[in-house]
Amino acid sequence: DERAEVAAACMLRFNFSFPMVLDHMTNDVADTYLGMPERAYLLDADGVVIWRSGLGPHYFDADGVETEIRRLAGSATAKSAAE
């Protein structure tokens, strides 16, 4: 499907090193999280938005997404080590 092709091209262009999820053709996720104009969201285990990208598509920050994931992963690792 065209949507999957565009998503794959985006992943290759920006060299994403994290998994990417593709919304259904019915745009259930976009409608739920109002994905416009923001384009990337990070959710916690409860489904709460904990980070969002800049206004897209011109200010989409692929590096910022990865940086935030690494920061969160580092925080989780430090928290586990302290317990």
Side-chain angles (χ1 to χ4, degrees):
D1 124 278
E2 183 179 354
R3 184 177 281 207
E5 290 176 19
V6 170
C10 181
M11 287 183 73
L12 291 172
R13 178 177 179 210
F14 291 108
N15 196 28
F16 292 151
S17 61
F18 51 85
M20 193 166 113
V21 180
L22 187 62
D23 201 355
H24 295 277
M25 291 302 291
T26 56
N27 295 319
D28 295 336
V29 175
D31 291 344
T32 300
Y33 292 100
L34 301 173
M36 296 198 54
E38 283 97 358
R39 299 289 186 180
Y41 292 88
L42 296 178
L43 308 169
D44 68 13
D46 296 319
V48 175
V49 175
I50 58 173
W51 186 90
R52 71 184 70 192
S53 70
L55 298 176
H58 301 292
Y59 297 105
F60 179 79
D61 182 8
D63 293 332
V65 175
E66 185 170 2
T67 298
E68 185 63 12
I69 290 170
R70 289 183 186 280
R71 186 189 72 75
L72 292 167
S75 295
T77 301
K79 183 178 180 181
S80 292
E83 293 175 352

